[in-house]
């Protein structure tokens, strides 16, 4: 099978397309609502507090090790990368084009395995998640032209 998949994503939603001849066919859509939530809604409560020995003055609070919102973005990136890694191992695509906002693009790249990373033929650091499916090919045409089959 000789085909190209195109992942269009940001931290809260993603669409996976298969480039067939000169058309993009949606394979699947993904949503991660937690990435849209406010940080304080994601954390269980305020940071824990501590007090030093009774005879000594001192107290403070523990800082959160990671921002809850950033953690959710990373979780979604890992989920998408796991799907791509599995699909690559099942030979569902030969080439992969990743279209994502710069920061989220980096998160996805961190979670792709080595073999899947080798399949990425083009990186587009833009957020095109608001583009309608029917308009996606036209928007991405300058990047996808080498992969189009007549």
């Amino acid at each position: 099978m000789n085909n190209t998949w195109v992942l269009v994503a940001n931290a809260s939603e993603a669409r996976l397309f298969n480039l067939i001849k000169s058309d993009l066919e949606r394979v699947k859509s993904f949503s991660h609502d937690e990435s849209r939530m406010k940080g304080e809604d994601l954390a269980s409560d305020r940071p824990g507090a501590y007090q030093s020995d009774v005879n000594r003055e001192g107290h403070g609070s523990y800082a959160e090790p990671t921002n809850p919102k950033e953690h959710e973005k990373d979780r979604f990136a890992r989920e998408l990368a796991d799907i791509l890694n599995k699909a690559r191992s099942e030979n569902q695509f030969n080439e992969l084009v990743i279209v994502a906002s710069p920061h989220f693009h980096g998160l996805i790249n961190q979670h792709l395995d080595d073999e899947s990373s080798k399949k990425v033929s083009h990186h587009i650091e833009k957020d095109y998640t608001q583009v309608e499916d029917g308009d996606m090919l036209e928007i991405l045409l300058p990047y996808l032209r080498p992969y189009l089959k007549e």
Side-chain angles (χ1 to χ4, degrees):
M1 179 181 292
N2 187 14
N3 65 330
T4 302
W5 275 14
V6 179
L7 177 70
V8 178
N10 67 20
S12 61
E13 62 183 295
R15 287 177 285 167
L16 188 58
F17 296 95
N18 192 4
L19 185 60
I20 300 175
K21 293 188 180 177
S22 57
D23 194 20
L24 283 174
E25 179 183 281
R26 188 190 304 201
V27 174
K28 193 162 185 181
S29 295
F30 308 91
S31 179
H32 191 73
D33 295 334
E34 290 86 348
S35 294
R36 289 189 181 118
M37 295 172 69
K38 292 182 178 179
E40 60 263 17
D41 294 336
L42 291 169
S44 59
D45 56 10
R46 26 184 222 133
Y50 65 88
Q51 189 169 5
S52 63
D53 290 342
V54 177
N55 297 333
R56 296 186 184 154
E57 291 184 29
H59 59 281
S61 64
Y62 296 107
E64 274 190 60
T66 16
N67 175 327
K69 198 162 176 69
E70 194 61 34
H71 173 74
E72 288 304 324
K73 290 177 185 178
D74 189 64
R75 229 176 90 202
F76 188 46
R78 181 183 304 272
E79 177 186 331
L80 292 173
D82 288 347
I83 290 165
L84 294 171
N85 291 335
K86 183 175 187 293
R88 190 258 329 136
S89 71
E90 296 171 351
N91 295 317
Q92 293 184 34
F93 63 88
N94 286 352
E95 294 182 88
L96 176 64
V97 175
I98 298 178
V99 183
S101 53
H103 177 70
F104 193 65
H105 199 286
L107 293 175
I108 293 170
N109 287 339
Q110 286 178 354
H111 297 298
L112 286 176
D113 62 30
D114 290 339
E115 291 302 312
S116 296
S117 291
K118 290 176 187 173
K119 298 285 186 179
V120 179
S121 56
H122 208 86
H123 298 272
I124 303 167
E125 293 189 342
K126 303 254 185 199
D127 184 355
Y128 287 136
T129 54
Q130 299 306 310
V131 175
E132 296 291 327
D133 284 8
D135 299 328
M136 192 66 72
L137 184 61
E138 184 180 338
I139 297 289
L140 296 177
L141 192 58
Y143 308 104
L144 300 180
R145 196 174 307 278
Y147 312 105
L148 293 176
K149 293 153 187 78
E150 298 302 323

